[in-house]
Amino acid sequence: MTKTSSGQETAFLRIIRRILKANRPHSPLAIARGAYWFLCTRFFGQPCLKYLDVALDYRCNMKCEHCFAIYSLRTQNGHRLTVEQYRTIAKDAFAVGCLHVNLQGGEPLLMADLEDYVCAFQPDRCHLSVTTNGYLFTTEWAKRLKKSGVRQIVFSLDSLDEKEHDRFRGLLGAYTRVMEGIRIAREMRFAVTVNVTVSHASLKEKNQRDLFAWLHQERIPYNPILACAVGGWSGQPSLMVTPEDVAFVNSLCTEGCAQRDVHASWVHQGCSATAEQAYITPYGDVIPCPFIQISLGNLHKERLGVIWRRAIQQGLFGRYHPRCWVAEEEGFVKELKNLYSHYSHLPVPSDSSEGREFLVRFWGKKN
């Protein structure tokens, strides 16, 4: 079975493979929850928020060229969520089917108390991963995260050329440290995944093609992150991929190591932002994905289940667009940039006149 043959079956089998390969097996409860929600979603049409991206803090030790967290400069007018609030968020997330929680930043390893946040999400009830640029990932950190219940480490690596990776990440030594981090994580028997940022330009470079070949050779799963003309790349649509580029990236997915987000949905293939996954900012806003800065509600004011169910019931989401909105739809990106320009702080409230109009225009219809 290829990665593109069935979004439902492929996503389910991927979870089973993670369970079988895990050095620390998932608990019977986590396995039972996965089976229950898969059946409910596939055969009974019950909505399931199966994946939750949680940005704990936007602080970072790098200055990546494409960084979407540049938005944090416009959102720090609120209060960060506390560990106690994350415990409540986890409870609500599990109630609506959450099976995979990914903790990210910024750079989460800058947080000395990261294990407290890991424990807040009860790793025995879900698959818990941490996304890092790898610079700070040491044997000591690996031991701490393993002990706290983290099963997967997601590293950011964009080129096999040391100078190119360091330039892109804005920090000398970034390449050496991330490669060492990958080695440590594999030796410690974590599930290891690599995020690779790809653009129209980078896909033509030998160094990135060599990276794909190396990842396949090492059997390291990786996620090609398509360039989005937002954040640090705002106003640079020439970096966005072409249909030919997408065809090439999709061909990588048929070989068994690459996996795009649009292939991970349980119901239909395509963008499942809010339908099956959501992103939480450090300040409590629930948004469709880190690139679409439109708040569906704030967790300082409402519970996650209330916010997510409202978004589903409104019919503005729950659609499965065949392409990534912010990487493959230039018209969408232009309109999004125009929407952002009207606000001094992001994200844009979805109940504002501009936010509502934008959502109705793009999601208030069948795709």
Side-chain angles (χ1 to χ4, degrees):
M1 180 185 296
T2 67
K3 292 287 184 180
T4 56
S5 62
S6 170
Q8 299 166 329
E9 295 174 323
T10 301
F12 183 66
L13 290 176
R14 188 171 61 255
I15 290 176
I16 296 300
R17 284 196 296 272
R18 285 175 180 167
I19 292 171
L20 294 177
K21 291 181 179 180
N23 185 46
R24 176 178 174 176
H26 287 68
S27 68
L29 176 59
I31 297 172
R33 289 188 66 250
Y36 170 80
W37 281 102
F38 178 77
L39 294 173
C40 286
T41 302
R42 182 173 180 183
F43 297 107
F44 299 100
Q46 183 173 346
C48 172
L49 181 61
K50 67 182 180 67
Y51 180 80
L52 198 61
D53 241 337
V54 182
L56 298 174
D57 195 339
Y58 283 141
R59 290 182 302 148
C60 191
N61 55 336
M62 294 189 180
K63 296 181 179 180
C64 301
E65 182 179 297
H66 66 310
C67 184
F68 67 83
I70 191 173
Y71 293 129
S72 67
L73 299 176
R74 298 169 63 183
T75 57
Q76 293 187 18
N77 60 325
H79 299 287
R80 280 182 50 201
L81 296 168
T82 65
V83 172
E84 188 58 41
Q85 286 176 300
Y86 281 120
R87 292 192 182 98
T88 300
I89 292 168
K91 180 180 178 180
D92 291 347
F94 296 147
V96 291
C98 184
L99 303 172
H100 185 171
V101 175
N102 178 61
L103 304 182
Q104 59 164 274
E107 173 49 54
L109 297 189
L110 288 171
M111 303 176 66
D113 57 348
L114 179 58
E115 294 102 318
D116 293 340
Y117 294 88
V118 171
C119 293
F121 281 97
Q122 304 176 53
D124 285 338
R125 298 193 65 187
C126 66
H127 181 88
L128 200 142
S129 60
V130 171
T131 295
T132 173
N133 58 42
Y135 194 87
L136 300 173
F137 191 85
T138 61
T139 299
E140 179 59 30
W141 257 121
K143 291 178 179 178
R144 290 169 59 181
L145 295 177
K146 175 73 74 170
K147 183 177 180 180
S148 66
V150 174
R151 289 182 170 84
Q152 180 182 10
I153 307 296
V154 183
F155 293 95
S156 298
L157 176 63
D158 308 297
S159 173
L160 273 188
D161 181 85
E162 181 176 352
K163 292 182 179 179
E164 174 58 25
H165 179 80
D166 288 0
R167 181 202 63 78
F168 185 71
R169 293 288 163 176
L171 183 62
L172 189 65
Y175 176 85
T176 301
R177 298 288 283 269
V178 70
M179 293 298 281
E180 176 66 4
I182 291 173
R183 183 193 66 79
I184 292 171
R186 296 180 79 184
E187 286 186 355
M188 293 285 292
R189 300 290 300 278
F190 283 99
V192 172
T193 302
V194 170
N195 283 342
V196 183
T197 304
V198 301
S199 67
H200 178 61
S202 72
L203 282 173
K204 300 180 182 302
E205 297 174 357
K206 181 178 182 300
N207 291 324
Q208 190 161 82
R209 298 289 182 113
D210 287 345
L211 174 59
F212 297 147
W214 179 76
L215 291 167
H216 281 287
Q217 178 183 329
E218 295 294 318
R219 305 303 298 171
I220 298 176
Y222 65 98
N223 183 17
I225 307 293
L226 304 186
C228 303
V230 296
W233 278 347
S234 179
Q236 301 184 61
S238 63
L239 292 170
M240 295 174 66
V241 292
T242 65
E244 292 74 21
D245 295 333
V246 174
F248 170 73
V249 171
N250 286 342
S251 73
L252 297 174
C253 298
T254 66
E255 298 178 33
C257 284
Q259 173 70 56
R260 288 187 61 201
D261 292 341
V262 294
H263 296 155
S265 304
W266 276 7
V267 179
H268 301 290
Q269 297 234 340
C271 173
S272 61
T274 303
E276 296 184 24
Q277 59 185 10
Y279 178 97
I280 297 176
T281 74
Y283 311 102
D285 287 295
V286 180
I287 60 180
C289 82
F291 306 106
I292 302 176
Q293 291 276 326
I294 302 178
S295 177
L296 308 175
N298 190 283
L299 294 168
H300 286 298
K301 302 176 181 178
E302 297 179 289
R303 301 283 287 264
L304 176 63
V306 173
I307 294 172
W308 181 69
R309 288 191 180 96
R310 180 176 62 229
I312 294 296
Q313 292 168 358
Q314 286 175 341
L316 298 176
F317 295 93
R319 313 298 188 189
Y320 292 81
H321 194 60
R323 296 173 295 279
C324 174
W325 281 105
V326 284
E328 301 177 70
E329 301 287 0
E330 188 173 344
F332 177 87
V333 174
K334 288 181 179 178
E335 292 294 330
L336 193 64
K337 182 181 178 183
N338 180 61
L339 175 67
Y340 292 169
S341 69
H342 291 89
Y343 287 82
S344 59
H345 297 288
L346 294 179
V348 176
S350 63
D351 57 0
S352 66
S353 58
E354 295 88 353
R356 177 75 180 181
E357 181 181 351
F358 184 90
L359 293 178
V360 168
R361 178 177 178 184
F362 287 100
W363 273 294
K365 57 184 179 182
K366 291 185 178 180
N367 296 309

